[in-house]
Amino acid sequence: MVQAARELLAVRSPLDAELMVSDMIGAWWGRRVRGGDVEQVLGEGLVDYAAKAGTPASLTLLICLAYLGTARQGAKAEGAALAMMESGVARPGWADRVGAVKPTGCYVSRDAYGDQDTVICTFAYRFGEGERARPEPAGPGREPHALVMVVDHNMSGMARDAWVSSHVDKLLEQARAEAAGNPMLLFEEIEPQQARALLESAMKATGEPKTPPPVSESYSAYHAFARARLKALPPGRKRPAPLHIEAPYSRERRAMLAAEFLASDAAEHLSDPSAASRCADHIIDYGCEQDFSRPLRVSPTKCETFLLDWLPRKVMLTTAEQEAMPHVLAAWVRFAAVRTGLPERGLKATLDAVWEAIGKFPEAYRDPTSFGLDRPLLERLLPDGDLSALARRVFAFPFLQGVHNGVTLDDLNPADEADRRTLLEMDHVGPVDEEHLAWHEEIATRLWEGDPPQLWEAAQRLLDLGHDRHDVLHVLIEIAERIGDDPDELAAALDDIADIPDGI
């Protein structure tokens, strides 16, 4: 990378340099390294290496990293760059302008469904000292440019794509023209504070993933540039307008909305009121908890995701609910479209998507009883109906039926603290040390609650290698006992488990 930084000496503008370095450090975005955080191992390692190189190319790299890096990388890079400049290492003329930008406008293009926001933030480089009284000069170093980011509200509001354009006027003109000719699109200017709040939230939702997220191929290349540019926008506490986020729904408000739906004309044809009511509750909960408190927002993509992805993973439905759900969802679409003013074109497209998904739903949703577990046992394991918890809870409590030492296991509730201890005692042969049993209970409780998620991920990796269940539990206990209460250190240690160490 330090050798590649020689190209920075040939560029003529800070924008080109910033984009080159952003692309360079995007190479490790979302990657994992053993023994530490990737930004520390590679990012800060690059800063240290560039500082030792002491060349003009490494200086330009440090100047860009001071602006584009993480807070720790930026502080280290700035200190190293200042030391090199004081020692007389030459730097290009554009170096003083890296990051010296001002926002010139923020805009959003969004679809009528609310699926996606395309946010455009435009910038220009500031005048240098002694230039403020002169007209803005043309040429390198002063070019206007736009950061464009796509926010996907069907994916927890994550940033899915990002790019930069120097054709600002053409970009804005095209966005306005598309919205003018399409009733399903809206283009408007927003406050910079709103743009910053929306995009910072979106980048946080995308996060620094342990596995590649569903983002565009270009996102990693622009991630550092976007992170830095957002800091040039004024901070504020304004609610991000494109999201139309409502206040959180209380249980009472959710129940009232369900009652209004069931009493509406859209729901009059539903033949099983009890199943329809429970299905409506799931639809509302999904909109409140997975879609920024927007249960009334409907779209083809949101309905397909709910029916074919979220429900099969998360919710235990009865047979009656499985049969009713697609029809309740279609009725909900009609009900919500009236309440939100969704254009007729959007309503038709959403209903078409629901009817197409109906044929796939029986295959996508596997009845939990098909796993070989009877419903009373499922109800003990899933009192909260969280289907995604089934595997880890079965792993934590494998003995829940039959009679052992005169105790009827079918009568014990794994969600109850006292019964949980009894079940874990049954899981051991012979006497067991109380402290050791307490650690088994700690791990079982964490697995039951899914906290942290890395615990079950680590257990699955070890089970896939063919290790015995009890040996896997002992590895998890050893790590939890060694790390203590620090959640970040515990998550990192669990992430690093690749196999069972010798001696466990």
Side-chain angles (χ1 to χ4, degrees):
M1 287 186 171
V2 172
Q3 290 179 352
R6 295 171 185 171
E7 297 181 21
L8 294 170
L9 299 174
V11 304
R12 300 183 61 200
S13 78
L15 179 61
D16 291 340
E18 291 167 18
L19 291 175
M20 286 177 61
V21 175
S22 180
D23 187 14
M24 184 185 296
I25 64 180
W28 64 66
W29 179 81
R31 306 283 183 173
R32 296 177 62 190
V33 294
R34 294 295 301 273
D37 176 72
V38 67
E39 292 290 356
Q40 180 179 357
V41 174
L42 292 181
E44 296 178 31
L46 176 59
V47 172
D48 293 338
Y49 190 83
K52 292 177 182 178
T55 63
S58 65
L59 174 57
T60 58
L61 178 57
L62 287 170
I63 290 171
C64 291
L65 286 172
Y67 172 65
L68 294 168
T70 64
R72 285 173 56 95
Q73 293 166 10
K76 293 186 70 173
E78 183 177 8
L82 288 173
M84 290 175 65
M85 287 187 286
E86 289 176 359
S87 67
V89 179
R91 67 184 189 277
W94 51 258
D96 291 337
R97 295 175 184 151
V98 169
V101 296
K102 58 183 178 181
T104 56
C106 295
Y107 310 84
V108 65
S109 176
R110 61 173 178 257
D111 61 77
Y113 297 119
D115 282 340
Q116 173 175 294
D117 289 339
T118 300
V119 183
I120 303 172
C121 299
T122 60
F123 302 88
Y125 285 88
R126 298 180 183 276
F127 285 104
E129 291 299 324
E131 297 178 322
R132 301 184 186 279
R134 301 205 305 267
E136 179 79 7
R142 293 294 186 272
E143 65 263 41
H145 53 280
L147 168 65
V148 185
M149 298 192 73
V150 177
V151 180
D152 190 336
H153 299 303
N154 290 315
M155 294 291 292
S156 303
M158 68 182 291
R160 290 286 299 272
D161 199 1
W163 67 93
V164 173
S165 173
S166 58
H167 303 287
V168 175
D169 292 339
K170 183 178 180 180
L171 177 68
L172 295 177
E173 181 181 349
Q174 181 179 355
R176 291 189 182 99
E178 288 178 352
N182 187 347
M184 296 296 292
L185 284 178
L186 174 66
F187 181 78
E188 63 181 355
E189 185 169 6
I190 59 174
E191 293 295 325
Q193 295 93 331
Q194 294 175 310
R196 177 169 177 170
L198 172 59
L199 294 180
E200 285 184 337
S201 174
M203 294 188 74
K204 182 178 180 181
T206 305
E208 297 290 350
K210 300 176 182 62
T211 56
V215 298
S216 70
E217 292 183 1
S218 67
Y219 181 83
S220 61
Y222 292 101
H223 176 265
F225 182 90
R227 180 181 59 196
R229 275 297 187 271
L230 293 186
K231 295 177 183 176
L233 298 175
R237 298 183 177 276
K238 292 189 177 182
R239 181 180 299 166
L243 286 177
H244 293 303
I245 297 176
E246 296 189 32
Y249 274 64
S250 64
R251 298 310 307 179
E252 292 76 13
R253 190 181 177 194
R254 297 186 193 192
M256 185 178 298
L257 182 59
E260 291 175 6
F261 162 66
L262 294 170
S264 69
D265 293 341
E268 64 180 359
H269 68 285
L270 299 175
S271 57
D272 187 340
S274 178
S277 176
R278 294 191 296 271
C279 289
D281 289 340
H282 294 313
I283 294 171
I284 293 170
D285 288 344
Y286 176 75
C288 291
E289 296 163 13
Q290 304 295 318
D291 192 27
F292 304 96
S293 296
R294 297 186 297 176
L296 290 169
R297 187 183 79 80
V298 293
S299 77
T301 302
K302 180 180 178 180
C303 290
E304 289 174 359
T305 302
F306 169 75
L307 198 60
L308 302 181
D309 180 63
W310 188 78
L311 270 179
R313 288 187 300 106
K314 293 293 292 182
V315 180
M316 184 172 67
L317 299 173
T318 65
T319 301
E321 290 165 2
Q322 294 173 47
E323 295 174 354
M325 179 58 79
H327 305 283
V328 176
L329 181 58
W332 180 268
V333 168
R334 295 189 182 93
F335 170 75
V338 174
R339 298 282 293 266
T340 61
L342 182 67
E344 184 66 27
R345 175 175 162 186
L347 171 60
K348 183 179 183 304
T350 305
L351 287 173
D352 287 346
V354 172
W355 296 127
E356 184 176 344
I358 284 178
K360 304 174 184 176
F361 180 67
E363 182 180 351
Y365 189 90
R366 292 186 61 199
D367 191 317
T369 57
S370 69
F371 302 153
L373 304 175
D374 58 40
R375 184 158 289 276
L377 178 58
L378 282 168
E379 290 172 352
R380 290 164 65 203
L381 286 165
L382 305 176
D384 51 3
D386 184 1
L387 194 55
S388 64
L390 180 60
R392 67 173 189 267
R393 291 178 181 174
V394 169
F395 173 76
F397 299 99
F399 303 110
L400 293 171
Q401 293 178 302
V403 178
H404 186 78
N405 291 339
V407 177
T408 303
L409 301 184
D410 300 73
D411 296 335
L412 300 179
N413 179 9
D416 179 80
E417 186 174 337
D419 287 356
R420 183 173 293 174
R421 174 60 72 101
T422 303
L423 287 167
L424 292 174
E425 289 174 351
M426 302 294 180
D427 195 14
H428 289 77
V429 178
V432 59
D433 177 76
E434 278 298 316
E435 183 179 356
H436 183 69
L437 186 62
W439 274 111
H440 270 278
E441 186 174 6
E442 169 74 13
I443 296 300
T445 300
R446 287 182 173 274
L447 287 167
W448 182 273
E449 297 172 353
D451 179 30
Q454 291 85 354
L455 193 70
W456 176 230
E457 293 168 2
Q460 290 177 92
R461 289 198 301 274
L462 297 177
L463 291 170
D464 288 342
L465 292 173
H467 292 296
D468 176 77
R469 169 181 169 273
H470 229 72
D471 290 340
V472 172
L473 286 171
H474 288 166
V475 171
L476 302 180
I477 289 172
E478 188 275 330
I479 292 174
E481 190 173 7
R482 171 166 50 86
I483 298 299
D485 295 330
D486 189 311
D488 293 333
E489 286 192 19
L490 177 59
L494 291 168
D495 276 336
D496 281 342
I497 296 178
D499 204 341
I500 291 183
D502 293 338
I504 297 295

